Amino acid sequence: MTARRSPSRPSAHLPPETECGVAPELMDYLFAESPAPVPESPPAADPQPGRGIARQVGDVLVESRLAGMGDADVRSTLARKLCRLLPDLPPGGADTVSTVATRALEQLARDHIVRVREALATAIKDIACAPPSVVATLARDVERSVAEPVLRCCAALGDEDLLDIVAAAPAGWALSAIARRHSIGAALSDAIAGSGHAEATGILLDNSGAVIAEPTLEALVEQSAHHPDWREKLARRPALPRRLALRLADFVDLAVVEALRRRGDLDDATVAEIAATTRRRIDWAEAPDSAEPPERRAVRLHRQGKLDETALSDAMSWNETGFVRAALTLRARVAPEVVDLILDAHDPQAVTALVWRAGLSMRCAMQIQARAAGIHPRAMLNARQGSGFPLSPAEMARHLERYGVGP
């Protein structure tokens, strides 16, 4: 009885091919732990035209084996050739040529030589039918030159893998590559926006193929108080809700206002309101008393009965937090130290309760949470049914009591 040949020491002579076009011993050779090159002349070209895809795959594998699989250039060439044949492969299954090709690509995706993985990533990134196991491995590669093309371009990389990659807090370049994809669903957009990476989020906002849900857009509008470069990008987003367009107009940025006014989907009344808001903001900054200390200005407006929500909104558009703190002190009738303590604690419930005590709206409370208290949008206390306070008066009184504020 003839002993079975070890797969790690392939025969110098190729046995007859199987029906799928790949010799059994070639499969053993391909998947051996340490394959050795076989010094043998390449097979003669097939004189018969129209040979099947299975035979082409077999020839590519045979040619690579004979050229010496220990050579990184040979493995790079094998990667490119197999990728060119992928669109013509039949559906995969056990013991088929598709299975053999996929296993070969999986090995190449784990190759210890970077340029082999780079060759595979570059060749496979535009192939929609690429094996998911291969592109998932490449997308998680630590080398930017390998992972970035796949993250940015490969349609075979599913949302489940992409969400998993974003959740793993990858390098910024990986998030930016994902944000540049041709098509991005709402869940993936939300994950990128929630990553805290400003550059990737800015790229996402510029991407017209990214679907961004309204709650995510709203959070980004609030965060744009600290990211001025996002504002014009937000103003250009398709299907921007009217209320968010008006919220953007709260920021005194003439380029943003102009971008809003150029939109074709806003009615004349909205455009007029944007213009009026901007004019009022500018008037606030250019008023004769604008050089007055913010605390003194707040006291004077309070005596005149003009320390209202509009004044606070105008002040916040210029980041005048000193004025906002003084206004809350006067309207809520609490000590300045208490206002400072609540705002500096980044406590959304207490901030909301303080604004409620000051007789201001929940919309104002959300602005103060974001701009004066620096609360992250995901931690903010949101309005109930669009405009109502989410806490009962008794609950808000309890939150204030924790800071020494009585009835």
Side-chain angles (χ1 to χ4, degrees):
M1 181 176 180
T2 304
R4 187 177 183 276
R5 185 179 291 107
S6 169
S8 62
R9 298 181 60 83
S11 168
H13 301 285
L14 301 176
E17 294 174 349
T18 63
E19 291 181 359
C20 72
V22 183
E25 288 198 13
L26 178 58
M27 294 185 199
D28 285 344
Y29 168 83
L30 180 64
F31 306 121
E33 290 295 326
S34 304
V38 180
E40 186 171 327
S41 300
D46 189 343
Q48 299 179 358
R51 57 185 175 175
I53 185 64
R55 182 151 187 117
Q56 292 181 55
V57 172
D59 283 355
V60 167
L61 296 176
V62 169
E63 178 184 348
S64 299
R65 175 196 177 187
L66 295 177
M69 287 291 284
D71 188 323
D73 290 334
V74 171
R75 298 198 300 279
S76 298
T77 301
L78 171 61
R80 288 189 285 267
K81 287 185 176 181
L82 284 178
C83 286
R84 283 198 294 270
L85 295 173
L86 277 177
D88 297 320
L89 287 176
D95 302 323
T96 68
V97 68
S98 297
T99 304
V100 173
T102 299
R103 289 187 64 186
L105 291 170
E106 287 172 346
Q107 277 205 341
L108 292 166
R110 297 189 298 269
D111 200 284
H112 67 286
I113 300 296
V114 174
R115 72 173 183 274
V116 175
R117 306 198 305 275
E118 286 176 353
L120 176 57
T122 302
I124 211 168
K125 66 181 177 65
D126 296 318
I127 300 176
C129 62
S133 59
V134 177
V135 295
T137 299
L138 294 170
R140 291 172 171 82
D141 202 289
V142 296
E143 295 291 338
R144 179 174 183 173
S145 58
V146 177
E148 190 171 46
V150 176
L151 290 172
R152 180 174 180 176
C153 303
C154 190
L157 190 62
D159 276 5
E160 186 175 343
D161 277 309
L162 288 165
L163 286 168
D164 184 57
I165 290 169
V166 173
W173 58 260
L175 288 169
S176 295
I178 296 172
R180 289 187 173 95
R181 289 177 68 84
H182 177 71
S183 177
I184 302 177
L188 185 55
S189 291
D190 185 59
I192 295 170
S195 68
H197 194 271
E199 181 183 347
T201 302
I203 292 169
L204 180 74
L205 289 172
D206 273 334
N207 187 345
S208 60
V211 177
I212 306 179
E214 188 170 324
T216 304
L217 274 177
E218 183 169 8
L220 293 176
V221 168
E222 294 299 337
Q223 289 180 60
S224 70
H226 308 291
H227 298 282
D229 57 307
W230 291 358
R231 296 173 194 167
E232 192 170 353
K233 300 173 188 291
L234 283 160
R236 293 195 302 262
R237 284 296 306 174
L240 184 72
R242 176 181 182 275
R243 65 186 184 85
L244 295 185
L246 293 172
R247 187 82 60 84
L248 275 173
D250 284 347
F251 301 103
V252 183
D253 186 326
L254 296 181
V256 172
V257 173
E258 187 58 31
L260 290 170
R261 294 177 68 176
R262 285 199 304 266
R263 294 180 63 95
D265 57 346
L266 297 178
D267 57 34
D268 292 343
T270 301
V271 172
E273 189 172 349
I274 289 170
T277 300
T278 306
R279 183 68 259 169
R280 197 183 71 243
R281 300 285 193 260
I282 294 173
D283 289 345
W284 171 271
E286 294 179 348
D289 56 6
S290 60
E292 188 178 15
E295 294 79 6
R296 185 175 298 175
R297 190 179 191 184
V299 169
R300 182 175 52 77
L301 291 176
H302 185 57
R303 288 173 177 169
Q304 296 172 352
K306 296 179 180 179
L307 190 59
D308 55 13
E309 199 159 311
T310 299
L312 266 77
S313 181
D314 289 344
M316 282 188 286
S317 71
W318 293 102
N319 294 319
E320 293 183 6
T321 56
F323 180 91
V324 174
R325 290 174 183 246
L328 290 173
T329 296
L330 293 165
R331 289 190 59 104
R333 303 178 308 283
V334 296
E337 296 79 9
V338 172
V339 172
D340 291 342
L341 186 62
I342 291 175
L343 295 181
D344 294 342
H346 311 295
D347 182 341
Q349 287 82 10
V351 171
T352 300
L354 180 64
V355 173
W356 163 77
R357 181 182 172 94
L360 302 166
S361 72
M362 184 58 200
R363 183 179 185 277
C364 185
M366 293 181 66
Q367 288 182 306
I368 290 175
Q369 286 182 73
R371 300 183 193 179
I375 296 172
H376 191 280
R378 290 185 177 275
M380 284 173 51
L381 195 61
N382 293 313
R384 186 183 71 245
Q385 297 179 346
S387 61
F389 281 93
L391 303 174
S392 68
E395 288 174 317
M396 287 191 279
R398 283 197 297 271
H399 282 292
L400 290 174
E401 285 174 4
R402 293 169 48 220
Y403 292 87
V405 180

